[in-house]
Amino acid sequence: MDKKESAKERILQVASELFYQEGIRAVGIDRIIAESMVAKASFYRNFATKDDLIVAFLEHRLPRSLERIEEARLRFPDQPIEQLRFLFQSISDRMKEPDFRGCPYMNTAVEFPDIEHPAHAKAVESRHILWCHVKQMAVEAGARDPEALASQLEILHSGAIMMAYMKKSMYNADHFYKAAMLLIKDQVPSVSTS
């Protein structure tokens, strides 16, 4: 690891990878300390509890999750339909990658079902932020009911990522993309589904 990285950055990087790939409850603090090569005291100076680390992990993931949306906006400025097309194609492509393990926010919410738990609350908040961006794209694209479209796309996305994770190589992520485009076309009839 880069020696210029702070202990906190190393801990977050290791926790982010392990939590996403193996699940939060499956990964203990001692393993994170060992793999991030920090002293136990250093870990607890940065994160008083595992719950604090989980919330930090979700905060750390959010900018990464927003990158796909930002890339769509940068590639297709003033073309919200193309932004949506690019966004859902890139999500479809991500589902095909061997390390894909679903949505870190959904995974966290499932592992921590108590809505009062800070990890659950942060997961719900993070996902809400992401889908507000999709809703804004739908508004800009001229959808008849942008809120309904964003909600339908979120439902489709949620089911598709679980299927992609559960069925792995047997899952055809192109079906997700085509279904997303049909939902968009229903709201914005000028859209081509190809």
Side-chain angles (χ1 to χ4, degrees), residues 16-48:
S16 183
E17 291 169 16
L18 292 175
F19 286 169
Y20 181 72
Q21 288 303 317
E22 298 180 24
I24 296 169
R25 291 188 185 273
V27 177
I29 295 296
D30 289 340
R31 182 169 173 206
I32 293 168
I33 289 168
E35 292 195 24
S36 58
M37 296 181 284
V38 298
K40 190 173 271 197
S42 180
F43 177 89
Y44 285 107
R45 259 194 310 277
N46 286 288
F47 304 101

Coordinates of all heavy atoms in Angstrom, one line a residue, residues 16-48:
S16 N -14.0 -1.3 2.5 CA -14.9 -1.1 1.4 C -14.9 -2.4 0.5 O -15.9 -2.9 0.1 CB -14.5 0.1 0.5 OG -15.4 0.3 -0.5
E17 N -13.7 -2.9 0.2 CA -13.5 -4.1 -0.6 C -14.1 -5.3 0.1 O -14.8 -6.1 -0.5 CB -12.0 -4.3 -1.0 CG -11.5 -3.3 -1.9 CD -10.0 -3.3 -2.1 OE1 -9.4 -4.3 -1.7 OE2 -9.4 -2.3 -2.6
L18 N -13.7 -5.5 1.4 CA -14.2 -6.7 2.1 C -15.7 -6.7 2.3 O -16.4 -7.7 2.2 CB -13.4 -6.8 3.4 CG -11.9 -7.2 3.3 CD1 -11.3 -7.2 4.7 CD2 -11.7 -8.5 2.6
F19 N -16.2 -5.5 2.8 CA -17.7 -5.4 3.0 C -18.5 -5.7 1.8 O -19.5 -6.4 1.8 CB -18.0 -4.1 3.6 CG -17.6 -3.8 5.0 CD1 -17.7 -2.5 5.5 CD2 -17.2 -4.8 5.8 CE1 -17.3 -2.2 6.8 CE2 -16.8 -4.6 7.1 CZ -16.9 -3.3 7.6
Y20 N -18.0 -5.2 0.6 CA -18.7 -5.4 -0.6 C -18.7 -6.8 -1.1 O -19.7 -7.4 -1.5 CB -18.3 -4.4 -1.7 CG -19.0 -4.6 -3.0 CD1 -20.3 -4.1 -3.1 CD2 -18.5 -5.3 -4.1 CE1 -21.1 -4.3 -4.3 CE2 -19.2 -5.4 -5.3 CZ -20.5 -5.0 -5.3 OH -21.2 -5.2 -6.5
Q21 N -17.5 -7.4 -1.0 CA -17.3 -8.8 -1.6 C -17.8 -9.9 -0.6 O -18.3 -10.9 -1.1 CB -15.8 -9.0 -1.9 CG -15.4 -8.2 -3.1 CD -16.2 -8.6 -4.4 OE1 -16.5 -9.7 -4.6 NE2 -16.5 -7.5 -5.1
E22 N -17.7 -9.7 0.7 CA -18.0 -10.8 1.6 C -19.2 -10.5 2.5 O -19.7 -11.4 3.2 CB -16.8 -11.1 2.4 CG -15.6 -11.5 1.6 CD -14.4 -11.9 2.4 OE1 -14.5 -12.2 3.6 OE2 -13.3 -11.8 1.8
G23 N -19.6 -9.3 2.6 CA -20.7 -8.9 3.5 C -20.1 -8.3 4.8 O -19.0 -8.6 5.2
I24 N -20.9 -7.4 5.3 CA -20.4 -6.6 6.5 C -20.3 -7.4 7.7 O -19.2 -7.4 8.4 CB -21.3 -5.4 6.7 CG1 -21.2 -4.4 5.5 CG2 -20.9 -4.7 8.0 CD1 -22.3 -3.3 5.5
R25 N -21.3 -8.2 8.0 CA -21.3 -9.0 9.3 C -20.2 -10.1 9.2 O -19.7 -10.6 10.2 CB -22.6 -9.6 9.5 CG -23.6 -8.5 10.0 CD -24.9 -9.2 10.4 NE -26.0 -8.2 10.7 CZ -26.1 -7.6 11.9 NH1 -25.3 -7.8 12.9 NH2 -27.1 -6.7 12.0
A26 N -19.9 -10.6 8.0 CA -18.9 -11.6 7.8 C -17.5 -11.2 8.0 O -16.6 -12.0 8.2 CB -19.0 -12.2 6.4
V27 N -17.2 -9.9 8.0 CA -15.9 -9.4 8.2 C -15.7 -8.7 9.5 O -16.4 -7.8 9.9 CB -15.6 -8.3 7.0 CG1 -14.2 -7.7 7.2 CG2 -15.8 -9.0 5.7
G28 N -14.7 -9.2 10.3 CA -14.4 -8.7 11.6 C -13.4 -7.6 11.6 O -12.7 -7.4 10.7
I29 N -13.4 -6.9 12.7 CA -12.5 -5.7 12.8 C -11.1 -6.2 12.8 O -10.2 -5.5 12.2 CB -12.8 -5.0 14.2 CG1 -14.2 -4.3 14.1 CG2 -11.8 -3.9 14.5 CD1 -14.4 -3.3 13.1
D30 N -10.8 -7.3 13.5 CA -9.4 -7.8 13.5 C -8.8 -8.0 12.1 O -7.7 -7.7 11.8 CB -9.3 -9.0 14.4 CG -9.4 -8.8 15.8 OD1 -9.3 -7.6 16.2 OD2 -9.8 -9.7 16.6
R31 N -9.7 -8.6 11.2 CA -9.2 -8.8 9.8 C -9.0 -7.5 9.1 O -8.0 -7.4 8.4 CB -10.3 -9.6 9.1 CG -9.8 -9.9 7.7 CD -10.7 -10.9 7.0 NE -10.4 -11.1 5.6 CZ -11.2 -11.5 4.7 NH1 -12.4 -11.8 5.0 NH2 -10.8 -11.6 3.5
I32 N -9.8 -6.5 9.3 CA -9.7 -5.2 8.7 C -8.4 -4.6 9.2 O -7.6 -4.0 8.4 CB -10.9 -4.3 8.9 CG1 -12.1 -4.9 8.2 CG2 -10.6 -2.9 8.5 CD1 -13.4 -4.2 8.6
I33 N -8.1 -4.7 10.5 CA -6.9 -4.1 11.0 C -5.7 -4.8 10.4 O -4.7 -4.1 10.0 CB -6.9 -4.3 12.6 CG1 -7.9 -3.3 13.2 CG2 -5.5 -4.0 13.2 CD1 -8.2 -3.6 14.7
A34 N -5.7 -6.1 10.3 CA -4.6 -6.9 9.8 C -4.3 -6.5 8.3 O -3.2 -6.3 7.9 CB -4.8 -8.4 9.9
E35 N -5.4 -6.5 7.5 CA -5.2 -6.3 6.1 C -4.9 -4.8 5.7 O -4.4 -4.6 4.7 CB -6.5 -6.8 5.3 CG -6.6 -8.3 5.4 CD -7.5 -8.9 4.3 OE1 -7.8 -8.3 3.3 OE2 -8.0 -10.0 4.6
S36 N -5.3 -3.9 6.6 CA -5.0 -2.5 6.3 C -3.7 -2.1 6.9 O -3.2 -1.0 6.7 CB -6.1 -1.6 6.8 OG -6.3 -1.8 8.2
M37 N -3.1 -3.1 7.7 CA -1.7 -2.9 8.3 C -1.7 -1.6 9.2 O -0.7 -0.8 9.1 CB -0.7 -2.8 7.2 CG -0.6 -4.2 6.4 SD 0.7 -4.2 5.1 CE -0.1 -3.2 3.9
V38 N -2.6 -1.5 10.0 CA -2.6 -0.5 11.0 C -2.7 -1.1 12.4 O -3.1 -2.2 12.6 CB -3.8 0.5 10.9 CG1 -3.8 1.2 9.5 CG2 -5.2 -0.2 11.1
A39 N -2.2 -0.3 13.4 CA -2.3 -0.8 14.8 C -3.8 -0.7 15.2 O -4.5 0.1 14.8 CB -1.4 0.1 15.6
K40 N -4.1 -1.6 16.2 CA -5.5 -1.6 16.7 C -5.8 -0.2 17.3 O -6.9 0.3 17.1 CB -5.6 -2.6 17.8 CG -7.0 -2.9 18.3 CD -7.1 -4.1 19.2 CE -7.3 -5.3 18.3 NZ -7.9 -6.4 19.1
A41 N -4.9 0.4 18.0 CA -5.1 1.8 18.6 C -5.4 2.8 17.5 O -6.3 3.6 17.6 CB -3.9 2.2 19.4
S42 N -4.7 2.7 16.4 CA -4.9 3.6 15.2 C -6.3 3.4 14.6 O -7.0 4.3 14.3 CB -3.9 3.3 14.2 OG -4.1 4.2 13.1
F43 N -6.7 2.1 14.5 CA -8.1 1.8 14.0 C -9.1 2.5 14.9 O -10.0 3.3 14.4 CB -8.3 0.3 14.0 CG -9.8 0.0 13.6 CD1 -10.1 -0.2 12.3 CD2 -10.8 -0.1 14.5 CE1 -11.4 -0.4 11.9 CE2 -12.1 -0.3 14.1 CZ -12.4 -0.5 12.8
Y44 N -9.0 2.3 16.2 CA -10.0 2.9 17.1 C -9.9 4.4 17.3 O -10.9 5.0 17.7 CB -10.0 2.1 18.5 CG -10.6 0.8 18.4 CD1 -9.8 -0.4 18.4 CD2 -12.0 0.6 18.2 CE1 -10.4 -1.7 18.2 CE2 -12.6 -0.6 18.0 CZ -11.8 -1.8 18.0 OH -12.4 -3.0 17.9
R45 N -8.8 5.0 17.0 CA -8.7 6.4 16.9 C -9.6 7.0 15.8 O -10.1 8.1 15.9 CB -7.2 6.9 16.8 CG -6.6 7.3 18.0 CD -5.3 8.1 17.8 NE -4.4 7.5 16.9 CZ -3.5 6.5 17.2 NH1 -3.4 6.1 18.4 NH2 -2.7 6.0 16.3
N46 N -9.6 6.2 14.7 CA -10.3 6.7 13.5 C -11.8 6.2 13.6 O -12.7 7.0 13.0 CB -9.7 6.1 12.3 CG -8.4 6.9 12.0 OD1 -8.4 8.0 11.5 ND2 -7.3 6.2 12.2
F47 N -12.1 5.1 14.1 CA -13.4 4.5 14.2 C -13.7 3.9 15.5 O -13.2 2.9 15.8 CB -13.6 3.5 13.1 CG -13.3 4.0 11.7 CD1 -12.1 3.7 11.1 CD2 -14.2 4.8 11.0 CE1 -11.8 4.2 9.8 CE2 -13.9 5.3 9.7 CZ -12.7 5.0 9.2
A48 N -14.5 4.6 16.3 CA -14.8 4.1 17.7 C -15.5 2.8 17.7 O -15.3 2.0 18.6 CB -15.6 5.2 18.4

